């Protein structure tokens, strides 16, 4: 039961976009996937409600009992579980960290976003100290702007915080919000497009980090 949590204490970092895109791409590739919407705002649930297509199963769990509830929902242990984290909610964040195999921290190329990760990194490291390094965790740069040095500068700043920075990233593209409004993802509208390739690369890197074949 690979469990991936997209967490950030800062709103607007790209958690829901990543969670829905990764979950949908896995689903399209034939994997059994559950997307857990742990944010009371319910953005992932709104995304699912925006289409009549048979897409990803989205379950709302916005109480700090994910470490218990996810295991019960996942059942046979063969499903991928993707968690869309709740910002500014320490109890929910800790619950997601407890159940995750990997925590992915989305960070936009901005010093404000880098600073906003400090508390979350501290919580993850404290958890790792008492659980033999679990969960694994890494930063993922989102909404990078082409032809700027911001992403490189942010990557350097993040690497100094003691967690790895994923090589894959997302570029700021209109296709992400455009497809989200229809309850879809770039993998639906442009499966061979650059955005879909970004998500495919992210999934491949995630699988490598948790040593799962896809």
């Amino acid at each position: 039961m690979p469990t991936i949590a997209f967490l950030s204490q800062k709103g607007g970092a790209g958690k829901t976009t990543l969670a829905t895109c990764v979950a949908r791409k896995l689903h399209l590739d034939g994997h059994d996937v559950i997307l857990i919407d742990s944010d009371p705002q319910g953005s992932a649930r709104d995304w699912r409600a925006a289409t009549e297509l048979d897409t990803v199963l989205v379950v709302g769990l916005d109480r700090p009992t994910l470490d218990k509830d996810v295991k019960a929902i996942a059942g046979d242990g063969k499903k991928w579980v993707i968690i869309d984290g709740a910002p500014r909610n320490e109890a929910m964040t800790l619950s997601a960290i407890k159940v995750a195999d990997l925590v992915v921290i989305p960070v936009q190329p901005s010093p404000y976003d880098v600073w906003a990760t400090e508390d979350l990194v501290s919580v993850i490291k404290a958890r790792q100290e008492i659980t033999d390094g679990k969960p694994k965790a890494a930063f993922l740069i989102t909404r990078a702007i082409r032809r700027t040095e911001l992403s490189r500068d942010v990557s350097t700043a993040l690497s100094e915080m003691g967690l790895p920075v994923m090589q894959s990233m997302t570029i700021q593209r209109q296709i992400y919000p455009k497809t989200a409004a229809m309850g879809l993802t770039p993998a639906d509208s442009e499966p061979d497009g650059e955005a879909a390739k970004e998500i495919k690369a992210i999934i491949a890197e995630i699988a490598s980090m948790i040593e799962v074949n896809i």
Side-chain angles (χ1 to χ4, degrees), residues 131-151:
T131 55
D132 194 25
K134 299 178 182 179
K136 294 181 178 180
F139 294 109
L140 173 62
I141 295 175
T142 61
R143 297 174 183 165
I145 302 173
R146 295 178 185 228
R147 295 181 290 275
T148 69
E149 296 182 359
L150 277 174
S151 297

Side-chain angles (χ1 to χ4, degrees), residues 17-96:
T17 296
L18 286 169
T20 53
C21 286
V22 166
R24 177 58 172 159
K25 176 57 176 169
L26 286 166
H27 180 260
L28 288 170
D29 287 346
H31 296 281
D32 198 354
V33 185
I34 299 175
L35 175 55
I36 303 295
D37 186 352
S38 70
D39 187 347
Q41 186 174 337
S43 296
R45 280 166 278 181
D46 291 340
W47 168 80
R48 178 63 185 87
T51 181
E52 296 297 327
L53 294 179
D54 179 21
T55 62
V56 180
L57 172 63
V58 179
V59 178
L61 292 175
D62 50 16
R63 296 291 184 272
T65 53
L66 290 178
D67 47 317
K68 301 178 181 66
D69 298 338
V70 166
K71 294 176 182 178
I73 291 174
D76 59 14
K78 297 179 181 179
K79 298 177 176 68
W80 280 78
V81 178
I82 307 299
I83 299 174
D84 180 18
R88 297 179 293 274
N89 189 321
E90 293 182 7
M92 287 299 303
T93 296
L94 181 56
S95 185

Side-chain angles (χ1 to χ4, degrees), residues 17-18 140-145 168-173 176 195 198-199 202:
T17 296
L18 286 169
L140 173 62
I141 295 175
T142 61
R143 297 174 183 165
I145 302 173
S168 49
M169 64 175 65
T170 64
I171 303 297
Q172 185 166 298
R173 304 178 190 276
Y176 285 111
E198 290 170 2
I199 300 302
I202 289 169

Side-chain angles (χ1 to χ4, degrees), residues 93-114:
T93 296
L94 181 56
S95 185
I97 290 171
K98 286 180 178 180
V99 76
D101 296 304
L102 172 66
V103 173
V104 176
I105 307 170
V107 183
Q108 294 186 79
S110 156
Y112 304 106
D113 282 59
V114 174

